[in-house]
Structures are given as C-alpha cells and as structure tokens.
Amino acid sequence: MKKLFISLLTLLTGLSFSQELEKSLLWKISGNGLKQDSFLYGTIHITCDASLDKNTLNALEKTEQLCLELDMDDKSMQMQMMKHMMMKDGVKLSALLNEEDFKVVDAFLKKNLNMSAKMFDGFKPFIVTTMLYPKMLDCPFQSVESELMKISAEQKEEIFGLETVEDQMKVFDNI
C-alpha cells in the first residue's frame, strides 16, 4: 500500500511539472504505453458545494470504476470504524488534558454540540474533532465523495478503496 501511495505522490509530482493546469482538481493520466486513460481527482471531504464541473462529469462518463481512499460502499465500513473510535488501555480524554484545559474543552463542546466532554471521555480526540466539522461551515455540509459515488452507482461501476479502515485508524493512533 505504501508503494502505491508513494507511486501516486511521484505521479502527482511528475504531472505537476508536465501539465499546466490552473486550479485543477482533475488530472488525466495517459500516455507512456497506457491503453486507457485514467483520472485522478483531488477531493475535499467536507464542502459547502460538492457540485462537479462538466470536465469531471465527462471524465466520469469514461470511467469503469471508482477508487477512493476507502471502499465507501462497503456495508461493513461503519462497523469497522466503530471498532476504532475508542481509546485503548483505559486512556481517557480527561487524562490527556490538565483539569483547566478539560474544563475549556467541556465548555466548548457544551456550547457547540450541546454535549459535555465527559460523554466523549473514552473516545479518540479525532472523533470529537470530526463531530465539530459541520459547525465549522456556515452551510449544510456536502461530500464530493458522495457525489462521485452517486454517479458511479448510476453507471453501475464498482467502488474500491486504496486503504482499509485499519490503515487510516493507525494514522490517528500514531498521532
């Protein structure tokens, strides 16, 4: 998996020097003996406008499958994620912060989520952060990935993931 990620980074670096595109999230991968074009699209997980432009829609028409960070149409993904939401070995959020900082976090969460930090005491900090994302936007949040998945489903295309839930959760665990 790391080789694939490094290859993607290398590919992106090479593309950035070989293609001149203004403010583009969509990259066409072609040439060098490839029989079919592929497309690489940089998404933003949470946005106010997940509309896809005509170039992206045209590229999607040419695709046969969609590959995201995670296989988001996997029915077991949510259950897998839930297994990784809690801190291990009895570690608590309240133990990671001094008493004064925990009170600040508690007041902030009460104000913004109407819930006490005590309710999240066993959860990994990134879970709390994730719950705050919608509050950071001044609009109902949308997902570009959801739009890509919707079109892929309409085209009856398979959706794949580059990583597993475990791969992604290890990143947060290492933090």
Side-chain angles (χ1 to χ4, degrees), residues 1-2 70 80 84-85 88 124 126 163-175:
M1 192 54 60
K2 289 180 182 180
L70 296 171
Q80 292 174 43
H84 297 280
M85 293 172 59
K88 294 180 178 158
K124 293 178 182 177
F126 87 92
E163 299 177 317
T164 65
V165 169
E166 288 77 20
D167 293 334
Q168 288 210 338
M169 295 302 118
K170 283 180 188 174
V171 171
F172 293 107
D173 289 345
N174 289 332
I175 294 172

Side-chain angles (χ1 to χ4, degrees), residues 30-170:
S30 62
N32 199 22
L34 292 176
K35 293 180 180 156
Q36 282 185 275
D37 296 341
S38 291
F39 299 89
L40 181 64
Y41 189 83
T43 65
I44 300 169
H45 294 310
I46 300 173
T47 183
C48 290
D49 182 8
S51 302
L52 302 174
D53 66 18
K54 67 178 181 171
N55 291 330
T56 303
L57 295 172
N58 289 337
L60 285 168
E61 282 293 318
K62 298 174 187 176
T63 62
E64 296 175 8
Q65 62 189 25
L66 176 65
C67 190
L68 301 169
E69 269 182 87
L70 296 171
D71 183 355
M72 294 178 63
D73 70 343
D74 180 351
K75 306 287 187 240
S76 69
M77 190 179 82
Q78 278 190 316
M79 287 302 292
Q80 292 174 43
M81 289 188 92
M82 289 178 73
K83 292 190 308 190
H84 297 280
M85 293 172 59
M86 304 302 284
M87 289 192 268
K88 294 180 178 158
D89 303 323
V91 175
K92 301 286 184 195
L93 183 61
S94 56
L96 298 176
L97 303 170
N98 64 42
E99 188 176 333
E100 183 180 328
D101 288 342
F102 189 78
K103 285 180 182 178
V104 170
V105 170
D106 188 52
F108 182 81
L109 293 176
K110 283 177 181 174
K111 177 181 177 188
N112 289 284
L113 297 177
N114 295 320
M115 291 187 258
S116 171
K118 292 173 187 170
M119 293 179 70
F120 299 105
D121 208 21
F123 287 90
K124 293 178 182 177
F126 87 92
I127 297 297
V128 180
T129 303
T130 301
M131 293 185 70
L132 290 166
Y133 287 155
K135 291 284 190 177
M136 294 178 189
L137 297 174
D138 59 354
C139 62
F141 87 86
Q142 299 176 22
S143 164
V144 174
E145 288 89 343
S146 293
E147 288 300 308
L148 294 169
M149 287 175 58
K150 181 176 83 176
I151 292 169
S152 293
E154 290 168 0
Q155 295 176 183
K156 298 183 180 6
E157 296 175 349
E158 180 63 36
I159 298 171
F160 297 96
L162 290 174
E163 299 177 317
T164 65
V165 169
E166 288 77 20
D167 293 334
Q168 288 210 338
M169 295 302 118
K170 283 180 188 174

